[in-house]
């Protein structure tokens, strides 16, 4: 089973893929979709959609796991993030990929053991789990791996 974890963003969107074979998990890859240099929101959303289509085509995930929205003080940021999530969900839906959602707190609790963990703690645990020490991938890519790992842990306990 290949799980695609997504840390959605309207400027930087992290993605990470893990492969689960029984109880053994491997990081297949992780990176970010960086659209900060695109000024127009519609063009950024289009670029995110195109990148998602390419990732899905390349890796053929069995399921996707998306971090849910946490509320900012800035309502405009929440709406923009919602639009980015919309194009991500559109891409996943077009390929009939089941989608699961977890809050940032749930992800941190599952991966670190503390729902209030820092980004550095999440990164450290992902580096340890997948032996990625020294990788220069952005935090958003590691967060996406953590999101996928959270779902793997939930699946393991459900069965």
């Amino acid at each position: 089973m290949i799980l695609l974890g997504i840390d959605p963003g309207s400027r930087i969107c992290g993605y990470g893929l893990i492969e689960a074979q029984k109880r053994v998990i491997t990081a297949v890859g992780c990176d970010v979709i960086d659209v900060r240099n695109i000024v127009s929101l519609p063009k950024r959303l289009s670029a995110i959609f195109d990148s998602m289509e390419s990732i899905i085509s390349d890796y053929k995930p069995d399921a996707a796991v998306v971090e849910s929205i946490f509320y900012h003080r800035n309502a405009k940021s929440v709406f923009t993030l919602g639009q980015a999530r919309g194009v991500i969900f559109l891409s996943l839906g077009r390929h009939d990929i089941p989608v699961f959602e977890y809050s940032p707190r749930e992800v941190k609790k599952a991966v670190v053991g503390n729902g209030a963990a820092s980004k550095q703690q999440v990164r450290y645990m992902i580096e340890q789990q997948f032996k990625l020490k020294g990788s220069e991938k952005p935090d958003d890519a590691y967060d996406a791996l953590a999101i996928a790992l959270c779902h793997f842990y939930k699946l393991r306990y459900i069965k």
Side-chain angles (χ1 to χ4, degrees), residues 87-102:
V87 299
I88 290 166
F89 277 72
L90 173 62
S91 180
L92 296 168
R94 289 186 65 205
H95 296 276
D96 294 320
I97 297 172
V99 178
F100 302 89
E101 291 184 79
Y102 296 98

Side-chain angles (χ1 to χ4, degrees), residues 10-11 35-45 80:
S10 63
R11 296 187 178 279
V35 293
R36 290 178 293 186
N37 62 339
I38 302 172
V39 177
S40 162
L41 178 60
K43 290 193 183 297
R44 282 199 319 263
L45 295 174
T80 304

